[in-house]
Amino acid sequence: MEKVKVGIIGSGNIGTDLLMKLMRSKTLEVTTMIGIDRHSDGLKRAKANGLKVIVNGIEGFLERPELADILFDATSAKAHVKHVEALKGTGKQLIDLTPAAIGPSVVPPVNMTDLSKESVVNMITCGGQATIPIVHAVNRVSSVNYAEIVATIASKSAGPGTRANIDEFTITTKSGIETIGGAKEGKAIIILNPAEPPIMMRDTVYCEVADREMNEEEVKQSILAMVKDVQCYVPGYRLRAEPVFDENKVTVFVEVEGAGDYLETYSGNLDIMTAAAVKVAEDIALAQYETVKEKAGRQ
Amino acid sequence: MNRDVYITEVALRDGSHAMAHQYSVDQVIRIAKGLNEANVPYIEVAHGDGLGGSSLQYGRSKTNELELIEAAASVCDHAKIAVLLLPGIGTVHELKEAASAGAKMVRVATHVTEADVAKQHIYMGKDLGLETVGFLMMAHMAPVEELVKQARLMESYGADIVYVVDSAGTLLPHQVTERIVALKNALRINIGFHGHNNLSLAMANSLAAMEAGATYLDGSVRCLGAGAGNTQTEVMVAVLDKLGVKTGVDPYKMMDLAEDVVAPILPKPQEIEKGSLILGYAGVYSSFLLHSERAARRYNLDIRDILVELGNRKVVGGQEDMIVDVAYELAKKKEAHI
């Protein structure tokens, strides 16, 4: 299949990490980086790698829309709102890594297939990407009444945006645990740990299932299968211990080591966001290809 | 009322840890009533981990904290109800609910190096018309200059008071002194101190803090707080009275409350046992105590090994999930040796 053209809006840490991941993709061709600071390391790297560099933001892209069909938004919630507006009617698909939460939320191994035609999808939060697959894995075997997740990340990996509005993390993640993970009730907690050397991202997932519904062996197998699915796009995603069962409760300890593309390996929280976003774009590209093939077959 | 030092009674919040978060409305009413009668100016009421703390991670509250806040407020005609909020656990949403339930003060707590996550909550506290406190936890884990920098941030967000919080009960009196002095020199707002008695130093540390210029001190009646508890309020009131420091609190009424109301509800007397001692010795968050006792039993380990390992890993407040994680690892290692 022909590679689908993609672009990155935002030339900060996240945008640059995306760039490095996208250059490895077999289904996506990263053609463009859109920023506002021509001296940023991200734009310099993009240029050095032969990408088209746009320094006047989304307006600049609208003059050259043929450059990309899928765009990653790695800016801020505020800027994202503007980008959604600007891209309306262009047929471009937007993958949102900001906390704006405008489009439907997506966790690749859980609900990607339903969303491949959406004009905007959002990546929830790092804690959501790391834990919702586990909640879903438990829920597909034994229905989850309550799921609670605790995400602990290195202080150094929490940017000013996260810090200024930490409530967005807890509220958005809770909602994802419920709507995508399938838990009747969700709760999310985030902890910043400043230890040096920085700690790796850790997530603890507690699920309480309905009375007498805990099938330990099946739940465990479902979790292990899900971990493998996530590992396909986040190789550093792993269980720290076997799931711990306690009557109708199961506790799962996850650790996320980053791939170390542009970001440090300890910031698995950022890596899982960029890796999941690339996975989403690849799935969209695949779905586009299938549609085209189908049409061609009918003609 | 002229007070030299303002005491905040924390048994109905910090003590929630020792009570495994099982407070009933009736218990809270009786304690709050007694505190109000003894003329304690502030009474903190919330889950031990602050608003929204009821969870599998920290333990579920038997009674919804909003009911407890409302109940306490209903029996206090001059004592003000304070609540604790840890950004990352509770949100401004819970803060608004607490204010509607009668809270007049919010203490926004972060790890000593992470004050900037408290900005939106301090803003909201001020917007709601609450007295707003910045609460820098695990104060031993950062150099003094860093503590000052973080306290300045909280001041810049509008906090009325900033606290040095010795969550692990591990600071020694001279370390408390240097921290309070540094804050006193750098800030215009009032300074507070919150101690834990794990090394039997809570009273001495509170005095050191006061002598260095702190005007807000926390205590827990009958030491009903996490770990070995806090500075024992009725003792602090008596000591400060002997020093001629006006707290406005009636020492006899505090003693009666401790003896007649609080002592009978304690799950066990608040002694310094090896678990709480090692919290102070290793510098570990005091609310880890009961969780670590449970993990030690489950995995057949010495609680000291668990807590020391947690200290080595520089675990911060709120990371209770690390207890089982570490215990599991230690148990596996032990197994491998056999």
Side-chain angles (χ1 to χ4, degrees), chain A residues 146 148 150 152 155 163-168 170-171 187-196 199 202-204 206 208 240-242 244-246 249 253, chain B residues 52-58 60 87-93 111 113-114 116-117 120-121 298-299 313-319 321-322 324-325 328-329:
Chain A
Y146 175 80
E148 177 181 312
V150 183
T152 307
S155 296
R163 289 169 173 277
N165 202 348
I166 202 162
D167 284 4
E168 253 163 19
T170 44
I171 294 165
K187 182 172 180 68
I189 293 170
I190 182 169
I191 295 163
L192 306 181
N193 180 313
E196 287 289 341
I199 58 153
R202 282 161 180 278
D203 299 274
T204 300
Y206 304 94
E208 279 180 340
R240 288 185 43 78
E242 298 259 297
V244 177
F245 290 90
D246 207 345
K249 181 177 85 177
F253 300 97
Chain B
S54 180
S55 58
L56 292 170
Q57 171 86 344
Y58 307 121
R60 283 198 171 116
I89 299 175
T91 66
V92 294
H93 175 69
H111 185 71
T113 54
E114 314 295 319
D116 56 357
V117 299
Q120 65 181 144
H121 310 85
R298 176 168 186 157
Y299 292 99
R313 296 195 189 183
K314 303 200 173 76
V315 164
V316 303
Q319 283 193 273
D321 52 328
M322 281 295 290
V324 171
D325 196 309
Y328 175 88
E329 249 180 61

Side-chain angles (χ1 to χ4, degrees), chain A residues 225-298:
Chain A
M226 180 58 82
V227 170
K228 279 213 176 101
D229 287 347
V230 178
Q231 279 169 346
C232 293
Y233 59 97
V234 190
Y237 185 88
R238 54 188 171 245
L239 294 183
R240 288 185 43 78
E242 298 259 297
V244 177
F245 290 90
D246 207 345
E247 291 175 16
N248 71 329
K249 181 177 85 177
V250 56
T251 308
V252 184
F253 300 97
V254 173
E255 177 175 85
V256 189
E257 179 179 4
D261 288 321
Y262 184 67
L263 306 158
E264 304 278 355
T265 51
Y266 62 76
S267 40
N269 49 313
L270 304 177
D271 189 75
I272 198 169
M273 286 294 272
T274 54
V278 170
K279 168 77 174 152
V280 168
E282 286 178 339
D283 286 353
I284 290 175
L286 222 55
Q288 285 180 356
Y289 175 71
E290 297 293 333
T291 315
V292 171
K293 215 168 63 174
E294 229 171 78
K295 273 188 192 158
R298 262 182 283 156

Side-chain angles (χ1 to χ4, degrees), chain A residues 50-69:
Chain A
L51 270 71
K52 173 80 188 159
V53 166
I54 294 175
V55 294
N56 57 338
I58 197 73
E59 290 77 17
F61 173 75
L62 289 172
E63 290 162 17
R64 301 279 315 274
E66 74 284 1
L67 284 172
D69 295 321

Side-chain angles (χ1 to χ4, degrees), chain A:
Chain A
M1 75 181 254
E2 206 176 309
K3 284 190 175 184
V4 172
K5 289 179 181 157
V6 303
I8 302 163
I9 318 175
S11 61
N13 289 336
I14 301 284
T16 313
D17 195 70
L18 275 171
L19 168 68
M20 295 176 72
K21 285 184 166 59
L22 286 167
M23 289 193 307
R24 289 198 298 265
S25 174
K26 292 190 178 68
T27 46
L28 307 172
E29 181 192 352
V30 58
T31 63
T32 315
M33 189 181 246
I34 304 159
I36 44 174
D37 176 9
R38 65 174 72 239
H39 303 296
S40 63
D41 188 43
L43 287 183
K44 280 183 196 158
R45 274 174 190 253
K47 199 163 196 176
N49 283 289
L51 270 71
K52 173 80 188 159
V53 166
I54 294 175
V55 294
N56 57 338
I58 197 73
E59 290 77 17
F61 173 75
L62 289 172
E63 290 162 17
R64 301 279 315 274
E66 74 284 1
L67 284 172
D69 295 321
I70 301 173
L71 290 166
F72 295 87
D73 195 340
T75 59
S76 66
K78 218 171 148 188
H80 179 67
V81 176
K82 209 183 90 186
H83 298 154
V84 171
E85 203 50 47
L87 290 168
K88 243 181 208 158
T90 60
K92 308 294 173 192
Q93 284 179 287
L94 197 50
I95 298 169
D96 172 23
L97 289 92
T98 80
I102 295 177
S105 304
V106 57
V107 178
V110 181
N111 66 338
M112 186 58 225
T113 43
D114 319 332
L115 299 175
S116 56
K117 293 198 171 64
E118 292 286 338
S119 58
V120 190
V121 291
N122 97 80
M123 302 304 303
I124 320 176
T125 61
C126 60
Q129 289 298 334
T131 60
I132 292 169
I134 301 290
V135 176
H136 174 75
V138 177
N139 191 58
R140 67 187 171 189
V141 177
S142 305
S143 57
V144 173
N145 280 343
Y146 175 80
E148 177 181 312
I149 74 99
V150 183
T152 307
I153 62 173
S155 296
K156 270 193 177 167
S157 70
T162 306
R163 289 169 173 277
N165 202 348
I166 202 162
D167 284 4
E168 253 163 19
F169 175 94
T170 44
I171 294 165
T172 310
T173 309
K174 169 194 159 75
S175 143
I177 292 167
E178 293 166 357
T179 56
I180 305 169
K184 289 196 180 67
E185 196 194 336
K187 182 172 180 68
I189 293 170
I190 182 169
I191 295 163
L192 306 181
N193 180 313
E196 287 289 341
I199 58 153
M200 229 171 257
M201 182 200 205
R202 282 161 180 278
D203 299 274
T204 300
V205 184
Y206 304 94
C207 291
E208 279 180 340
V209 306
D211 274 349
R212 288 183 294 277
E213 264 199 38
M214 182 61 87
N215 183 332
E216 293 195 9
E217 194 44 41
E218 271 189 48
V219 166
K220 189 176 151 186
Q221 291 312 322
S222 175
I223 292 169
L224 295 178
M226 180 58 82
V227 170
K228 279 213 176 101
D229 287 347
V230 178
Q231 279 169 346
C232 293
Y233 59 97
V234 190
Y237 185 88
R238 54 188 171 245
L239 294 183
R240 288 185 43 78
E242 298 259 297
V244 177
F245 290 90
D246 207 345
E247 291 175 16
N248 71 329
K249 181 177 85 177
V250 56
T251 308
V252 184
F253 300 97
V254 173
E255 177 175 85
V256 189
E257 179 179 4
D261 288 321
Y262 184 67
L263 306 158
E264 304 278 355
T265 51
Y266 62 76
S267 40
N269 49 313
L270 304 177
D271 189 75
I272 198 169
M273 286 294 272
T274 54
V278 170
K279 168 77 174 152
V280 168
E282 286 178 339
D283 286 353
I284 290 175
L286 222 55
Q288 285 180 356
Y289 175 71
E290 297 293 333
T291 315
V292 171
K293 215 168 63 174
E294 229 171 78
K295 273 188 192 158
R298 262 182 283 156
Q299 274 163 5

